[in-house]
Amino acid sequence: MVINLAMYHLRTIEALHRLRSFTLAAEDMQISQPAVSRALAEAERRIGGRLFDRSTRSVGPTHLGEEISAHAAMAVATYDEALIRIAGHMNGDDGTVRVACLPSVTATLLPSVISHFRSDLTRVGLDIHDEPQENVAEKILNGTVDLGIFALDSSIPDELNVEVVAQDRLVAIVPAGHQFSCRESLKWDDFARERFIGFDSVTSIGPLVAHAFAKYDVSVDIVQTARSIPAVGGLVAAGLGVSVVPEMVVPLVALDGIESIPVNPAIERTLVVVHRKRGPLPDVAERFRQSLLS
């Protein structure tokens, strides 16, 4: 047996059970008292039983009314919550922001942005994808994520809108007690006489460091490469060589036995946020983009 009740029937039952008055229920629902009476009568006819005993002085649920009212209250609450969530999606107060970014960005730049963003938008979910440089643009283009954060380079497709988020200069990291430790700054050609710990080319750091050495015509002895910042930091801390990293990630390699030193002339990594030019961002993703840029 299928009973066809509309939401206004369920709202009427819920309001009468909660308020025990046709007058108060009408005020609560912002309709007339006769409309409440008609809605209840129609609901009782469709259900096939009396839900409320009413007199000139009181309104009280029958045994059937108690059971039906419990279901009506749950249905009304669920429906109202759905309307709130739908409105939230439309005005950017609800939903999920999907972001692909470099692991170093996830660990350094994003936490404070996320904390501030979620303090205002507690319902918003964040789906963070830690990805190497080469994968971020691909995820944007195939629609897997809404926003991407990575290092600016010449390979960014024309289909993406690009905005600068931060700039981060390169610094040297050396083992404690190394001959460079007493220096206030280094030059790029200082690395020519050192064993060097490099980054894989799939990272954003590897090509940038290689470009710096090429720009200043420096040849380095790369004794080991690694993909992650902590791995490079661990190799340096063990005394296997020196390296160069963006200053932003120095806290990620703050191991015992590592010191950081500025390198001149300064070379910077430019971090950008990107999204597809075609079509607007979802409202909630647009609000996150604005938080990144503020």
Side-chain angles (χ1 to χ4, degrees):
M1 177 183 180
V2 177
I3 298 175
N4 184 16
L5 292 179
M7 181 51 61
Y8 75 90
H9 296 127
L10 297 174
R11 287 195 183 279
T12 300
I13 295 168
E14 185 278 331
L16 285 171
H17 183 268
R18 174 165 48 88
L19 300 171
R20 299 295 204 274
S21 164
F22 280 84
T23 300
L24 294 178
E27 292 175 357
D28 186 70
M29 298 174 65
Q30 298 183 355
I31 60 176
S32 67
Q33 186 171 327
V36 173
S37 298
R38 288 194 298 271
L40 176 61
E42 186 176 352
E44 289 178 329
R45 178 179 61 78
R46 295 187 180 192
I47 291 170
R50 191 171 183 82
L51 301 180
F52 292 90
D53 290 324
R54 50 269 205 195
S55 67
T56 56
R57 295 186 176 181
S58 65
V59 176
T62 63
H63 178 70
L64 177 63
E66 285 283 3
E67 294 185 349
I68 299 299
S69 293
H71 293 295
M74 287 190 291
V76 168
T78 300
Y79 183 79
D80 286 345
E81 175 67 16
L83 291 180
I84 291 171
R85 299 297 294 270
I86 290 170
H89 282 287
M90 297 305 296
N91 61 27
D93 292 334
D94 204 340
T96 298
V97 182
R98 304 170 302 162
V99 183
C101 56
L102 303 175
S104 61
V105 172
T106 304
T108 57
L109 178 67
L110 278 192
S112 61
V113 175
I114 291 172
S115 177
H116 181 266
F117 184 72
R118 281 194 162 165
S119 67
D120 295 328
L121 300 170
T122 57
R123 292 180 179 273
V124 172
L126 288 166
D127 185 9
I128 307 297
H129 299 243
D130 290 337
E131 297 288 345
Q133 175 87 3
E134 62 183 4
N135 291 355
V136 177
E138 180 182 352
K139 283 186 173 290
I140 292 287
L141 292 173
N142 66 26
T144 303
V145 298
D146 306 302
L147 297 168
I149 308 169
F150 59 176
L152 180 66
D153 65 23
S154 60
S155 67
I156 298 177
D158 291 339
E159 301 96 306
L160 299 181
N161 186 74
V162 180
E163 297 170 286
V164 175
V165 174
Q167 290 185 307
D168 189 17
R169 70 174 291 170
L170 295 179
V171 298
I173 55 172
V174 304
H178 189 274
Q179 61 174 333
F180 289 161
S181 297
C182 60
R183 302 269 296 272
E184 291 185 1
S185 66
L186 299 175
K187 297 182 180 297
W188 290 102
D189 59 6
D190 287 329
F191 295 97
R193 296 170 292 280
E194 298 295 323
R195 293 176 300 169
F196 194 81
I197 309 298
F199 285 87
D200 286 355
S201 60
V202 298
T203 67
S204 67
I205 303 172
L208 182 61
V209 173
H211 169 74
F213 286 137
K215 180 176 180 178
Y216 294 103
D217 195 24
V218 177
S219 177
V220 293
D221 177 19
I222 299 177
V223 296
Q224 183 64 56
T225 61
R227 180 164 297 184
S228 73
I229 291 163
V232 169
L235 293 168
V236 172
L240 299 178
V242 301
S243 191
V244 173
V245 300
E247 190 171 24
M248 182 183 294
V249 309
V250 168
L252 302 183
V253 293
L255 307 171
D256 289 340
I258 283 188
E259 299 178 20
S260 64
I261 307 167
V263 183
N264 293 314
I267 297 287
E268 292 185 332
R269 177 178 70 160
T270 300
L271 296 175
V272 296
V273 58
V274 303
H275 61 86
R276 284 181 295 182
K277 292 179 180 177
R278 186 180 69 243
L281 283 169
D283 286 346
V284 68
E286 172 60 23
R287 294 184 69 168
F288 190 78
R289 184 191 70 84
Q290 292 174 7
S291 293
L292 279 167
L293 297 173
S294 64

